[in-house]
Amino acid sequence: MLLLPSYIGVGFLELPYIVKLLGLWSGSCGLLFYGFLNELGTLVLAQSAQRLTERTGDTFGDMGKVAEMSMKVGSPWLQPHARKLRFYINFCTVMTCGLAMPDLISLMNLFGQDVFHQYVTVSNTVSIIVISVLLLPIYLTRRMKILSFLATAANIVLLGIFIISFEYIYQDLPNASTRPATKFVDYITVTSFTNDVTFSYGGIITVLPIRNRMKNKKNFDGWNGVLGLVLTVVTSVHVCCGFYGYLRFGEMTQVNYLLNLPGDKWIYKSLKVLSFITLYCATGMDVFVMVEIVWTPLKEIFSSRNEIIENYGEYICRVILLIFSCTFTILVPEFELLMSLTGCIGMLPTTFMIPYIIAMLTLYGEKEPTLLIDKVKRKLTVALCVVMIVFGTYSLIAGTSVAVYMALNNIIL
């Protein structure tokens, strides 16, 4: 099951903090609500890919290709802009992976500071630079097999971390009445909640590549298929983690709940060390994706002109990415701000907007159904798409404004 690791990853560790923003019951209901929207958008995307396959005979292994094809078979006045839609989706992927690299460095910094603060005290800037230097071998690794092995090992270790840490969380749980059921929060907090939840559910990009590898796609699609089952499990686990994590730690809940584990017991301290190592190993896949997107077009332009660039250009690109990640993390070291930026700029459009745009474009070229029930379904689908596109557009504008404002405020002040 490749879907579960793509949805239950680093963002899973921040769920108690996300629930803390709105309160025990309001935050948990928010996780459930956005989990439902995530599942709905993913199922709509998979269904659109299936319809386009039936109409064109092509198979689609990524969201960008589906979006481009849906616009090509859609309205004639939109067809010339098909590549622009695909470019925007690739841009969202670049932003997700590009911001994920500072995210991981920031988290590694949190774990490093927490583990070693009783032995040595260093500033965030020094700590981030040291971590970036340690990441140099990972950034320079080009072999996909090595990176895949490290990522798989990291997921296995992460599963063990979840199990052991939850064993601590479930000990001596207080009564739910001791935690605020809901909080009266400001606009910035509510918007940040949406950004953070989107970050935790950000796995929709991986759905079509996994679906494309399935032999029997009929068993994969639909509410009662593998995809619907996995997403239901993901939402349930997310709500459970957020609810019980915040119930256990209350207002002391930190941005990553592992930081709330006691530091005087070796088993819990080892979990933080393992988390540091896990993040270190997981960084390579994001770097690989970024290099593939950034270096591939540059290679075609510069490789034939300069022998040095042809031989060492990719390594130079990887070093530049590391410098960018280090610099950006120094400017915005707070992980909660980076998480909000990643969620709204990279993941929110692909979760709450693009699937419904693709669905509407796909419906455009299909014949009007003759049965009444099919006509009703078609109109309800169009209405749902319009509502979600409006909701997604608002969330994107509001979320980006708040996230950028908070990040700039942090840099300036």
Side-chain angles (χ1 to χ4, degrees), residues 329-364:
T329 311
I330 291 173
L331 292 174
V332 188
E334 287 78 8
F335 177 72
E336 52 267 37
L337 298 182
L338 291 172
M339 176 172 61
S340 184
L341 275 171
T342 307
C344 67
I345 297 177
M347 299 177 180
L348 194 149
T350 56
T351 303
F352 299 140
M353 292 174 57
I354 301 298
Y356 302 99
I357 294 175
I358 293 173
M360 289 193 68
L361 292 172
T362 304
L363 286 174
Y364 178 87

Side-chain angles (χ1 to χ4, degrees), residues 30-76:
L31 287 180
L32 183 62
F33 172 71
Y34 282 103
F36 170 76
L37 293 185
N38 171 71
E39 182 169 357
L40 184 62
T42 306
L43 293 173
V44 166
L45 176 65
Q47 185 183 44
S48 299
Q50 179 186 357
R51 289 186 173 183
L52 287 172
T53 298
E54 293 173 353
R55 289 171 60 182
T56 64
D58 294 337
T59 56
F60 303 97
D62 65 86
M63 187 184 293
K65 188 176 180 181
V66 173
E68 183 179 11
M69 181 57 68
S70 67
M71 190 168 281
K72 285 182 177 179
V73 300
S75 176

Side-chain angles (χ1 to χ4, degrees), residues 83-361:
R83 287 188 175 273
K84 295 178 183 178
L85 181 58
R86 183 169 186 173
F87 173 82
Y88 178 66
I89 295 174
N90 290 337
F91 170 78
C92 292
T93 304
V94 169
M95 293 302 298
T96 300
C97 296
L99 290 172
M101 295 185 293
D103 289 344
L104 294 174
I105 293 177
S106 178
L107 265 180
M108 292 170 69
N109 176 52
L110 286 176
F111 286 123
Q113 294 275 19
D114 186 78
V115 171
F116 296 108
H117 76 279
Q118 55 185 335
Y119 307 111
V120 61
T121 302
V122 296
S123 65
N124 274 330
T125 301
V126 174
S127 177
I128 291 169
I129 292 174
V130 171
I131 291 171
S132 300
V133 173
L134 293 175
L135 281 170
L136 186 60
I138 287 290
Y139 269 73
L140 294 180
T141 301
R142 299 173 59 186
R143 296 186 63 181
M144 183 64 175
K145 289 184 177 180
I146 296 176
L147 297 176
S148 299
F149 173 79
L150 291 175
T152 302
N155 285 330
I156 295 173
V157 173
L158 194 62
L159 176 62
I161 292 172
F162 290 157
I163 295 173
I164 297 174
S165 61
F166 261 77
E167 182 272 336
Y168 174 82
I169 287 177
Y170 285 132
Q171 294 178 13
D172 303 322
L173 281 172
N175 193 287
S177 61
T178 60
R179 308 298 183 211
T182 186
K183 295 180 180 179
F184 296 97
V185 294
D186 55 17
Y187 174 79
I188 291 180
T189 304
V190 173
T191 307
S192 298
F193 177 85
T194 300
N195 294 343
D196 296 347
V197 172
T198 307
F199 176 85
S200 69
Y201 281 117
I204 193 171
I205 291 292
T206 64
V207 170
L208 290 183
I210 295 173
R211 179 183 182 274
N212 194 44
R213 296 170 62 181
M214 298 287 291
K215 291 183 179 180
N216 192 344
K217 295 179 175 57
K218 292 183 179 179
N219 294 334
F220 183 83
D221 298 335
W223 291 93
N224 57 346
V226 173
L227 181 59
L229 175 62
V230 169
L231 292 175
T232 301
V233 171
V234 166
T235 301
S236 302
V237 172
H238 274 63
V239 174
C240 179
C241 176
F243 180 89
Y244 285 105
Y246 176 61
L247 179 62
R248 179 68 174 84
F249 301 119
E251 294 305 305
M252 300 298 293
T253 303
Q254 298 193 50
V255 68
N256 187 298
Y257 75 78
L258 294 182
L259 298 173
N260 286 102
L261 301 180
D264 55 350
K265 295 184 179 180
W266 70 267
I267 186 170
Y268 299 123
K269 182 176 287 188
S270 65
L271 291 184
K272 299 173 185 178
V273 175
L274 286 174
S275 297
F276 183 97
I277 298 173
T278 298
L279 295 170
Y280 182 90
C281 295
T283 303
M285 292 303 296
D286 290 313
V287 177
F288 184 86
V289 174
M290 277 295 295
V291 171
E292 284 293 305
I293 295 174
V294 174
W295 173 243
T296 300
L298 293 178
K299 183 179 180 180
E300 297 177 357
I301 298 174
F302 296 109
S303 60
S304 60
R305 301 180 182 179
N306 191 303
E307 185 177 350
I308 296 177
I309 295 178
E310 183 177 0
N311 295 330
Y312 304 103
E314 183 174 341
Y315 291 107
I316 295 172
C317 178
R318 290 172 177 270
V319 172
I320 291 174
L321 286 176
L322 178 58
I323 295 173
F324 161 79
S325 302
C326 176
T327 304
F328 196 89
T329 311
I330 291 173
L331 292 174
V332 188
E334 287 78 8
F335 177 72
E336 52 267 37
L337 298 182
L338 291 172
M339 176 172 61
S340 184
L341 275 171
T342 307
C344 67
I345 297 177
M347 299 177 180
L348 194 149
T350 56
T351 303
F352 299 140
M353 292 174 57
I354 301 298
Y356 302 99
I357 294 175
I358 293 173
M360 289 193 68
L361 292 172

